[in-house]
Amino acid sequence: MAEPIDRRRFLVRMSKGGLAVAVLGVAACSADEPSVETTGPTTTPPVETVGPATSGPVEPTTTTAAAQTPTTTEPTVVEWQRVALGNVSAYLVMRAGEAAIVDTGIPGSAGAIEAALTAIGGSWDAVSNVFLTHLHPDHVGSIGAVLEAAPAARAFVGAADIPSIASPRPITAVTDGERIFDLTMIATPGHTEGHISVLDPAASVLVAGDALVNTEGLSGSNPRFTADVEAAADSVRKLASFEFDTILFGHGDPITAGGSSRVAELVAGS
């Protein structure tokens, strides 16, 4: 049986002034969780209209304000869900009724992932993308079952790791900086050659895979399981250059505030 699943929900509103992100809470799955409140409507500024150009004497024209039509910008709820699978975790993200999965855990994890999807109002049919941080079996062990259950899902991983992953359908290689499902792919080689981390800029969430670990305090990739220690250290320095509040780990509990500062401190102390 899977351990309790932690949920983290964000309210993302796009407006003329930019992007606002509000953390709405962290809670265990519950059927009676409070609904998300939205703010009131926004209005566009008056726009002046001017009469057509004419030749000859020009009569005075009157400038009037265009009718103000209130417009509302519907917020997008971005919900991240942790699926704890013993000593490793997979993650789900749901936005606008569409879901993505980051890592699939050990073999036999599809049932726990399905339960997590149900808890956030999703289903296998809602899964459009599956991102694998790297090739190790505790992260890709259920890729076959997940792709068979989610017929519309595409699978992605770093190019160098593709040959080592058995999948019922082709896996697409991602490139550094590529945006898929409003998520940014960050190449973080070292733990494995093709390791990637996944950044949600809107929700300020980083899924670090095994590029970072938080089992006995925050640290870089575990040297015992790392293909290239120097490259892994470079990847930690690279992650420190990004901005994020929350870090979700393959191993260890999430950091839910000041994530990028914590990584910068780790780099400074290394």
Side-chain angles (χ1 to χ4, degrees), residues 45 63 66 125 131 133 176:
T63 301
D125 289 339
F131 302 101
T133 60
D176 189 33

Side-chain angles (χ1 to χ4, degrees), residues 5-11 22-37 77-82 94 115-122:
I5 301 168
D6 297 327
R7 179 185 301 179
R8 191 163 181 81
R9 180 180 291 176
F10 303 84
L11 179 66
V23 179
L24 298 188
V26 182
C29 299
S30 171
D32 56 359
E33 190 170 20
S35 59
V36 178
E37 295 183 358
V77 176
V78 179
E79 190 160 7
W80 280 94
Q81 178 107 336
R82 179 189 185 190
M94 174 79 76
L117 280 168
T118 301
I120 56 175

Side-chain angles (χ1 to χ4, degrees), residues 11-22 76 179 200-204:
L11 179 66
V12 180
R13 180 183 292 278
M14 291 298 298
S15 66
K16 188 174 181 180
L19 177 70
V21 181
T76 298
R179 289 290 295 271
D200 185 341
S204 198

Side-chain angles (χ1 to χ4, degrees):
M1 180 178 296
E3 296 177 8
I5 301 168
D6 297 327
R7 179 185 301 179
R8 191 163 181 81
R9 180 180 291 176
F10 303 84
L11 179 66
V12 180
R13 180 183 292 278
M14 291 298 298
S15 66
K16 188 174 181 180
L19 177 70
V21 181
V23 179
L24 298 188
V26 182
C29 299
S30 171
D32 56 359
E33 190 170 20
S35 59
V36 178
E37 295 183 358
T38 61
T39 59
T42 61
T43 59
T44 55
V47 178
E48 293 185 349
T49 58
V50 182
T54 60
S55 60
V58 179
E59 296 294 329
T61 59
T62 302
T63 301
T64 58
Q68 296 186 30
T69 303
T71 59
T72 58
T73 304
E74 291 296 326
T76 298
V77 176
V78 179
E79 190 160 7
W80 280 94
Q81 178 107 336
R82 179 189 185 190
V83 189
L85 303 163
N87 69 345
V88 70
S89 294
Y91 295 94
L92 313 178
V93 59
M94 174 79 76
R95 58 162 57 88
E98 191 175 348
I101 299 171
V102 184
D103 285 341
T104 64
I106 58 178
S109 298
I113 293 172
E114 182 177 22
L117 280 168
T118 301
I120 56 175
S123 66
W124 288 120
D125 289 339
V127 178
S128 58
N129 300 286
V130 179
F131 302 101
L132 302 172
T133 60
H134 62 290
L135 61 83
H136 288 163
D138 55 338
H139 292 257
V140 304
S142 291
I143 184 61
V146 165
L147 290 182
E148 288 173 359
R154 302 174 300 165
F156 300 90
V157 74
D161 284 9
I162 290 178
S164 300
I165 301 172
S167 171
R169 54 182 181 266
I171 300 177
T172 301
V174 300
T175 57
D176 189 33
E178 185 175 1
R179 289 290 295 271
I180 306 169
F181 193 60
D182 287 337
L183 303 174
T184 301
M185 307 293 111
I186 304 174
T188 47
H191 187 73
T192 65
E193 186 179 354
H195 192 287
I196 62 170
S197 299
V198 178
L199 177 67
D200 185 341
S204 198
V205 172
L206 173 73
V207 186
D210 284 1
L212 294 167
V213 179
N214 194 38
T215 53
E216 298 179 359
L218 180 62
S219 65
S221 175
N222 187 332
R224 290 178 56 201
F225 308 106
T226 298
D228 186 330
V229 173
E230 290 186 5
D234 287 340
S235 289
V236 174
R237 285 188 282 271
K238 180 178 181 178
L239 289 174
S241 69
F242 292 86
E243 293 291 332
F244 43 86
D245 287 326
T246 298
I247 311 176
L248 305 178
F249 303 92
H251 303 281
D253 292 330
I255 290 174
T256 57
S260 54
S261 296
R262 293 284 301 276
V263 178
E265 292 169 1
L266 175 65
V267 169
S270 62

